[in-house]
Amino acid sequence: MFKAEPFINEKIKAVEDQVGDGKAIIAVSGGVDSMVCAALASKALGKNLLAIFVNTGLMRKDEPEEVRDMLTEIGINFKIIDAQKEFFAALKGITDPEAKRKAIGEKFIRVFEKEAKGFGAGYLVQGTIAPDCIESGGNGKKTIKSHHNVGGLPEDVGMGLVEPLKDLYKEEVREVARKLNVKSSERQPFPGPALAVRCLGEVTPGNIATVREACFIVEDEIKKAAKAGKMKLPWQYFAVLLPVRSVGVRGDERAYGKTVVVRAVESADGMTATHADIPGSVLSAISKRITSDMEDINRVVYDITDKPPGTIEWE
Ligand code: XMP
């Protein structure tokens, strides 16, 4: 059975051994994987570790501010970089899901390389966990999706890779987080390429703003319903924006708006999942709020696909 404390001690020692007197950089997203990894690596490296949060413009509502507060609380050396323009430029015109993931992974690594050079880092610490490696291919397995922290890495990364969590599954990472008092221990998983893979078709600032608002409403309504005892909080829950338009009616006028998908799943580790049962009254509240707050959306649908054959995210 997995035990967090010996794991932490073993990995602090392993990171110390690998990096020695060198310097390392880590990208943090605010999610449990990268925050645990940063907290663990900072125990090994202290001021020789620099945590970078890249504001890609693809994060959820209020996320950049929340991440800054969490980093301050953990007390590690960090820097926030505003790269929103660069990410939207890199994604312009791309609609293929794998091409999006590759473009985002590539942009991330270029930003890190620049920061690493400035800091004098020879190592890149990453919060890669076991399912990321399995689903990104390797070991003779077929690629399902290139998780941006693995498949998106160009071969000329030019830094030694440090991946202390790569044999762990999500629940084990959460156990380590609780032991290290990392605040995001109970946060739901969020993909590295962020809202870009919840926005089917081209990623533009406008589409991202739309899916961000829809995700916020889905999260907010489900949290409220769970608090009121109407349902249990699912493992993961969010919205997806489809570029599919359908005919509707607003007042006396014909409308021709886009579609939002409500996605909620139960899972142990993200490798398999079943769709979560959201009560009809909660779905109805979500649909009413999205269509009344968001002019552009005139249809809300509920995804009842399990994994397999679907995946959790739509891209
Ligand atoms: P899928 O969509 O592959 O997702 O069924 C399984 C779990 O992984 C998350 N996910 C990612 N996490 N980098 C990550 O760190 C990624 O590129 C990525 N893509 C998907 C997804 O949200 C779900 O929890």
Side-chain angles (χ1 to χ4, degrees):
M1 207 184 100
F2 178 74
K3 288 226 160 46
E5 204 159 326
F7 173 85
I8 293 167
N9 294 334
E10 182 196 313
K11 289 300 168 185
I12 291 174
K13 169 102 180 39
V15 174
E16 277 170 359
D17 288 348
Q18 188 180 353
V19 178
D21 293 335
K23 287 184 166 185
I25 191 169
I26 179 167
V28 289
S29 64
V32 62
D33 303 347
S34 63
M35 294 305 271
V36 163
C37 199
L40 207 146
S42 105
K43 285 193 181 298
L45 307 173
K47 286 273 174 265
N48 280 343
L49 177 76
L50 176 65
I52 302 280
F53 173 73
V54 183
N55 184 357
T56 57
L58 306 170
M59 307 305 285
R60 284 169 296 183
K61 204 169 190 167
D62 301 329
E63 212 160 10
E65 295 74 22
E66 283 169 18
V67 176
R68 187 196 50 219
D69 294 349
M70 271 196 273
L71 288 167
T72 308
E73 206 167 292
I74 296 177
I76 61 179
N77 193 19
F78 75 92
K79 187 170 171 185
I80 296 182
I81 292 159
D82 187 343
Q84 301 184 59
K85 277 197 188 130
E86 285 164 73
F87 275 80
F88 282 116
L91 286 164
K92 202 168 166 37
I94 300 180
T95 55
D96 176 74
E98 275 299 288
K100 269 186 201 174
R101 285 177 170 272
K102 292 263 154 79
I104 292 169
E106 172 94 28
K107 194 90 242 159
F108 257 105
I109 215 70
R110 296 301 162 218
V111 172
F112 297 148
E113 271 176 348
K114 189 164 158 237
E115 293 306 319
K117 216 168 169 189
F119 185 60
Y123 293 87
L124 176 66
V125 186
Q126 291 208 113
T128 317
I129 65 171
D132 300 338
C133 298
I134 294 164
E135 298 210 337
S136 290
N139 298 329
K141 296 200 171 72
K142 286 202 179 108
T143 300
I144 296 166
K145 294 179 188 183
S146 299
H147 280 215
H148 94 72
N149 43 1
V150 183
L153 274 182
E155 292 195 342
D156 60 345
V157 55
M159 280 182 272
L161 269 185
V162 183
E163 297 182 311
L165 309 182
K166 77 173 180 342
D167 297 324
L168 299 195
Y169 285 83
K170 206 83 191 182
E171 256 326 297
E172 296 168 336
V173 181
R174 290 196 204 282
E175 258 184 66
V176 177
R178 285 175 211 124
K179 262 274 159 340
L180 291 173
N181 286 323
V182 170
K183 221 175 144 194
S184 50
S185 65
E186 312 311 318
R187 263 166 66 125
Q188 59 162 321
F190 188 60
L195 296 175
V197 292
R198 294 181 180 174
C199 173
L200 274 69
E202 191 180 3
V203 175
T204 63
N207 288 341
I208 290 294
T210 304
V211 75
R212 177 181 292 128
E213 187 58 27
C215 269
F216 173 73
I217 293 174
V218 169
E219 283 195 30
D220 193 50
E221 290 295 329
I222 288 183
K223 278 185 202 154
K224 267 195 326 206
K227 214 168 171 190
K230 291 185 192 159
M231 62 182 287
K232 108 179 205 322
L233 216 49
W235 191 77
Q236 195 172 7
Y237 46 103
F238 54 91
V240 179
L241 175 67
L242 304 187
V244 174
R245 286 184 184 271
S246 64
V247 175
V249 58
R250 274 190 191 271
D252 293 336
E253 301 274 314
R254 177 187 190 268
Y256 192 48
K258 290 185 188 160
T259 309
V260 161
V261 179
V262 178
R263 180 72 163 143
V265 295
E266 298 300 347
S267 178
D269 53 18
M271 298 293 291
T272 59
T274 51
H275 72 273
D277 278 324
I278 308 178
S281 61
V282 179
L283 286 170
S284 179
I286 291 172
S287 168
K288 286 200 171 76
R289 189 164 156 195
I290 289 178
T291 50
S292 71
D293 288 8
M294 303 175 68
E295 282 237 320
D296 208 22
I297 307 298
N298 66 346
R299 211 164 285 267
V300 177
V301 300
Y302 179 29
D303 181 356
I304 50 167
T305 322
D306 296 338
K307 174 183 180 178
T311 52
I312 295 174
E313 305 288 344
W314 273 46
E315 289 194 331

